[in-house]
Amino acid sequence: MNEYQKIADLLYPNVKDYTFYLNKYKKRENVKGEVTRYAPSPTGYMHIGNFFQMFISYNLAKNTNGVFIRRLEDTDRKREKEGAFEVIEMVMDKFGIYPDEYETLNGEIKGYYGPYIQTERLDIYHSFAKYLVSIGKAFPCFCKAFENKEEILKDRETKFLDNDATEYDACRNLSFDEVKKHIDNGEKFAIRLKTSGDGIKRVTFTDLIKGEITANANAKDVILVKSDGIPPYTFCHIIDDKLMGVTTVVRGEEYISSTPVHLEIIDALGFDRFKYCHNPLICKIPENGNKRKISKRYDPEADMRYYFENGYPIESVLEYLLNLISSSFEEWRRNNPELSWKEFKFGINDITAVSPIFDLVKLNDISKNIISKMTAEEVFNNVLKWAKEYNNSWYELLLNNKDYAIKMFNIDRNIEKPRKDIYKWSSIPELYKYFYDEFYNPSSIEDYDLPNNYKCAKELLNEYLTIFDENDAKDTWFNKIKELGAKYGFAKEVKEFKKNKEAYIGHCGDVCTLIRVAVTGRTQTPDLYEILKLFGKEKIKNRFNKFYEFI
Ligand code: GLU
């Protein structure tokens, strides 16, 4: 047994040989597609950038009949935020993004390559750390100062630059006897990579989105296992990706700069290198015009919970993200208006290489389209679900008036050019409140969006009540309005009015506006004929009476 092996045994007398794990987690022989993963650290509530990257990873696996894994990277206990992983589980669940393999916090596990929570895999990491020590590619470090590892590493780097690296780190070349002395003293140790970097070497790797990248090779003895026995992301993600059979590492482009470190560790372990797909980060262009990363600090829409609170349909958000991911989505959607977004298959080559700009207006447009195609029942169910969580009074209201609400949502739907005024469920209370007496309470004429001075309003409206019949077909309904208007000096046709404006007070459209304002308070509403039919004579009368109080 050589010196390195003796040291490895001394440090880790009881762990399994690393080959045990290489044999235990079998190669995925039957999977032809990409094996990808989403590996969140629970350090904050789910950011749209994480979701974006997760969604790319998910689609790449789905589009190639591969496997999509969710793994919890929870070894950085200091940065952990309570409840963050629950939010990730909840968000993915609500969006219907179900990983093929995962583990939940309450112990549900699916897949043969688990555990899928890193702190449950410490033995595995120790086995591989032991292996690296046994072949002289890693070493135990007893420096008290390694708690301030940043300083040591920086210092070491400076030495490299001064070409005076060799004598720097006392722990790098400890003999078995020296290591034993530390251990017998009860000292704790970290495991550090014995880098072969010299500050001059370069490394080249291919990123499937960005192309070939050449960077400085690693030259730091990075920490592989901390003195508390817990390895950082740098080490564990490599072991996990290998054992879980990941083919393509999909992650944010902020990881490009640490890829040389990862490559040195991968090479030291004798693993094949993974394919890399570093996605661009979603950006914003704020008022000052300087493009920056979208951030939860400044942009409420960066937190995925924003979309639930505001009641965006999940399809709207997913389709918007597909727009950001690939410039070909929009055309595909135009050519396939009826298909689900799930039918849009894209490959790595279709992913944008430049940071996409987040634009709420565009999201809202997409959402308006999607909602305009829903049936009234679908709208009802969606609003109800949203209201149950975020708007109690509307929840009760909708629940107690289901038929009425569905008829209300059906106005201007199911027609050739459906109305496109809803993009989020939270706008429903404001848009539709005048349909409900409970929420309809004008208190002065100011609350009526009245465009002109209708002197004859009361007489005209009173007479209208006598001729209104909710069973009238639309033509009959409109003709009655024209005839009535004519009696009060309104032109029957707009054309007629335009030819001779002096002869009339207004035209038939103005009569409709008057009726519309008197029953809803607004000049802009969905189809008046349908609204009046839904309201019925009694309710129209009450609304007119309310209106008379103010004119
Ligand atoms: N745990 C890392 C993070 O949340 C994941 C990086 C990766 O996907 O490899 O940023």
Side-chain angles (χ1 to χ4, degrees):
M1 200 184 277
N2 71 25
E3 189 89 350
Y4 292 139
Q5 288 166 336
K6 278 166 64 187
I7 295 175
D9 272 344
L10 182 64
L11 299 174
Y12 292 109
N14 297 319
V15 304
K16 291 197 167 69
D17 192 73
Y18 76 105
T19 53
F20 169 84
Y21 295 107
L22 290 176
N23 292 326
K24 175 179 172 187
Y25 297 105
K26 298 269 174 275
K27 264 206 155 127
R28 297 172 185 268
E29 302 290 357
N30 296 325
V31 181
K32 300 272 178 289
E34 300 291 344
V35 179
T36 65
R37 83 306 193 268
Y38 170 51
S41 295
T43 50
Y45 301 124
M46 199 174 194
H47 185 285
I48 193 166
N50 298 122
F51 190 91
F52 182 67
Q53 177 240 310
M54 180 278 289
F55 193 45
I56 292 177
S57 196
Y58 166 82
N59 278 292
L60 287 181
K62 282 278 163 274
N63 294 345
T64 56
N65 291 320
V67 177
F68 174 59
I69 302 167
R70 183 177 69 207
R71 173 175 82 221
L72 174 58
E73 302 205 320
D74 61 341
T75 63
D76 190 350
R77 284 284 149 98
K78 271 200 218 118
R79 292 181 54 225
E80 195 161 320
K81 184 148 194 154
E82 219 187 300
F85 191 58
E86 283 88 339
V87 171
I88 292 167
E89 286 182 349
M90 179 276 282
V91 170
M92 289 180 71
D93 231 54
K94 282 201 178 180
F95 275 96
I97 309 280
Y98 305 115
D100 300 303
E101 298 178 13
Y102 63 87
E103 182 170 343
T104 62
L105 280 188
N106 51 28
E108 186 193 332
I109 186 161
K110 187 168 167 246
Y112 297 112
Y113 293 80
Y116 297 93
I117 295 183
Q118 286 186 330
T119 48
E120 295 171 11
R121 298 170 65 84
L122 298 183
D123 286 350
I124 302 178
Y125 308 132
H126 292 166
S127 289
F128 284 89
K130 178 177 181 179
Y131 169 60
L132 286 182
V133 174
S134 78
I135 58 172
K137 303 239 164 146
F139 62 93
C141 176
F142 296 92
C143 297
K144 297 283 176 290
F146 68 67
E147 298 300 344
N148 299 319
K149 58 179 185 188
E150 296 300 328
E151 262 164 57
I152 290 195
L153 294 175
K154 225 190 282 154
D155 201 0
R156 189 170 162 69
E157 230 178 358
T158 327
K159 298 273 175 182
F160 270 129
L161 294 177
D162 296 347
N163 278 333
D164 182 23
T166 39
E167 293 310 313
Y168 168 68
D169 192 335
C171 294
R172 241 190 162 217
N173 299 304
L174 293 179
S175 67
F176 172 79
D177 291 337
E178 287 165 323
V179 171
K180 189 161 185 314
K181 222 192 275 166
H182 284 294
I183 297 283
D184 289 346
N185 258 342
E187 288 173 43
K188 288 182 168 180
F189 60 88
I191 300 291
R192 286 166 58 181
L193 178 74
K194 197 183 272 182
T195 183
S196 64
D198 55 8
I200 297 164
K201 266 196 264 180
R202 307 268 287 166
V203 64
T204 297
F205 60 98
T206 302
D207 182 85
L208 296 173
I209 295 186
K210 315 258 169 198
E212 200 174 277
I213 296 176
T214 299
N216 286 339
N218 175 51
K220 295 177 188 170
D221 289 345
V222 292
I223 306 263
L224 302 181
V225 182
K226 290 186 294 176
S227 61
D228 57 6
I230 298 185
Y233 162 77
T234 314
F235 190 50
C236 20
H237 86 278
I238 291 168
I239 313 291
D240 293 344
D241 286 340
K242 165 71 180 172
L243 297 182
M244 294 179 183
V246 168
T247 56
T248 305
V249 170
V250 180
R251 60 186 177 189
E253 67 185 9
E254 70 271 29
Y255 283 98
I256 290 180
S257 60
S258 41
T259 304
V261 184
H262 305 160
L263 292 176
E264 189 178 8
I265 300 172
I266 291 168
D267 293 349
L269 286 161
F271 297 166
D272 289 335
R273 291 182 176 183
F274 308 100
K275 288 184 274 182
Y276 285 103
C277 176
H278 288 99
N279 330 129
L281 306 174
I282 301 181
C283 287
K284 283 211 59 160
I285 302 187
E287 250 135 55
N288 65 15
N290 295 329
K291 187 166 160 181
R292 62 160 170 77
K293 226 175 99 177
I294 189 167
S295 125
K296 279 195 277 189
R297 216 156 120 216
Y298 307 110
D299 315 304
E301 69 273 27
D303 186 328
M304 288 311 288
R305 291 173 301 180
Y306 172 87
Y307 303 95
F308 301 132
E309 284 157 20
N310 279 278
Y312 279 90
I314 57 167
E315 301 87 331
S316 307
V317 180
L318 296 181
E319 293 214 4
Y320 178 58
L321 291 181
L322 284 171
N323 258 286
L324 295 187
I325 292 170
S326 164
S327 55
S328 46
F329 179 73
E330 198 157 9
E331 193 184 333
W332 177 88
R333 176 42 88 218
R334 221 177 297 122
N335 297 333
N336 302 280
E338 303 307 329
L339 294 185
S340 154
W341 63 267
K342 290 182 184 153
E343 305 295 323
F344 174 66
K345 307 277 183 230
F346 65 88
I348 291 174
N349 291 340
D350 300 306
I351 301 174
T352 169
V354 288
S355 297
I357 307 295
F358 190 92
D359 175 10
L360 213 47
V361 176
K362 174 86 181 167
L363 165 65
N364 293 346
D365 278 348
I366 288 177
S367 196
K368 279 178 192 169
N369 262 318
I370 288 178
I371 293 178
S372 74
K373 289 188 184 138
M374 291 182 180
T375 64
E377 280 82 1
E378 284 170 326
V379 172
F380 176 83
N381 290 331
N382 273 297
V383 184
L384 192 70
K385 215 159 112 195
W386 169 81
K388 187 171 184 189
E389 224 169 311
Y390 299 104
N391 190 325
N392 220 0
S393 50
W394 269 75
Y395 177 67
E396 298 291 327
L397 191 73
L398 292 172
L399 206 58
N400 296 330
N401 302 279
K402 181 170 173 182
D403 286 348
Y404 181 82
I406 289 179
K407 282 183 190 149
M408 168 180 89
F409 290 133
N410 203 39
I411 299 176
D412 286 356
R413 200 165 284 281
N414 270 330
I415 52 175
E416 204 188 332
K417 284 202 168 155
R419 197 175 171 85
K420 294 182 181 174
D421 53 352
I422 313 170
Y423 60 89
K424 55 180 186 178
W425 308 128
S426 60
S427 67
I428 295 274
E430 185 50 39
L431 276 176
Y432 284 87
K433 65 180 184 192
Y434 61 82
F435 279 86
Y436 295 92
D437 293 339
E438 292 88 326
F439 295 120
Y440 185 76
N441 42 17
S443 58
S444 78
I445 194 66
E446 303 298 316
D447 292 329
Y448 289 88
D449 201 357
L450 202 57
N452 283 311
N453 184 11
Y454 288 96
K455 290 213 180 79
C456 55
K458 195 165 174 180
E459 293 78 5
L460 188 152
L461 292 175
N462 267 339
E463 189 170 344
Y464 182 63
L465 268 184
T466 65
I467 55 169
F468 174 77
D469 182 345
E470 64 188 61
N471 298 314
D472 281 345
K474 197 164 184 177
D475 279 3
T476 317
W477 169 82
F478 198 32
N479 281 333
K480 279 184 175 177
I481 287 184
K482 286 180 179 173
E483 295 297 338
L484 177 70
K487 278 175 75 175
Y488 288 85
F490 292 87
K492 279 191 194 170
E493 306 297 336
V494 181
K495 257 198 243 150
E496 215 181 293
F497 170 72
K498 282 193 175 154
K499 264 193 269 160
N500 193 1
K501 288 190 178 163
E502 275 69 49
Y504 301 100
I505 328 181
H507 55 74
C508 55
D510 298 325
V511 184
C512 288
T513 302
L514 174 61
I515 300 172
R516 191 190 304 273
V517 171
V519 286
T520 69
R522 305 177 181 195
T523 49
Q524 303 282 332
T525 72
D527 193 53
L528 180 63
Y529 167 72
E530 296 288 347
I531 293 177
L532 295 178
K533 234 167 117 87
L534 179 64
F535 278 14
K537 200 170 210 156
E538 200 49 35
K539 186 162 172 151
I540 298 173
K541 189 173 155 194
N542 293 338
R543 293 283 170 102
F544 282 177
N545 285 338
K546 183 104 210 150
F547 180 59
Y548 300 156
E549 288 173 25
F550 307 113
I551 58 169

